[in-house]
Amino acid sequence: MITKPGPYLRQHAHNPVDWYPWGEAALERAAAREQANSSQRGLFGVPLCHVMERESFENEAIARLMNEQFVNIKVDREERPDVDHVYMNAVQMLTGRGGGR
């Protein structure tokens, strides 16, 4: 499902989770299915992103649940700094802190 050229999105293209790149098509799919979206932001070189892939996104049982319950959206923070900025602001407003690069 992922067709964007960035290394972060390509890294997750083989996961059993049905990932969609951030964009109107993914949001329209979620609306049409009347499902929430599960958005995950990351960068190719961040170790925690690799850990999450190994421990969660490559797990068949977890992937099955994610695919049944959500439209799963990946956001490459380098390709979409505008989207990342919105998420970071929301996290900082809600928790008083937030992660960086």
Side-chain angles (χ1 to χ4, degrees):
M1 307 230 177
I2 292 177
T3 57
K4 286 222 172 205
Y8 176 69
L9 296 176
R10 285 195 316 261
Q11 167 190 337
H12 295 276
H14 70 280
N15 296 151
V17 175
D18 292 335
W19 291 114
Y20 292 84
W22 176 268
E24 283 189 40
L27 298 174
E28 287 172 1
R29 182 174 175 86
R33 290 174 60 180
E34 296 183 350
Q35 282 185 300
N37 69 58
S38 165
S39 300
Q40 201 262 330
R41 306 164 21 261
L43 294 165
F44 182 72
V46 175
L48 183 57
C49 294
H50 295 280
V51 171
M52 286 184 66
E53 178 181 26
R54 277 193 317 273
E55 294 182 0
S56 300
F57 306 142
E58 291 181 350
N59 181 299
E60 294 286 338
I62 291 172
R64 187 171 34 260
L65 287 171
M66 289 178 70
N67 294 337
E68 289 171 1
Q69 300 295 317
F70 301 99
V71 172
N72 303 291
I73 302 173
K74 279 277 185 196
V75 179
D76 185 324
R77 293 175 66 186
E78 289 185 294
E79 289 183 0
R80 294 302 308 259
D82 56 326
V83 175
D84 180 56
H85 182 74
V86 171
Y87 273 89
M88 287 304 299
N89 281 344
V91 167
Q92 290 171 354
M93 287 172 39
L94 291 169
T95 67
R97 58 190 167 143
R101 292 189 180 217

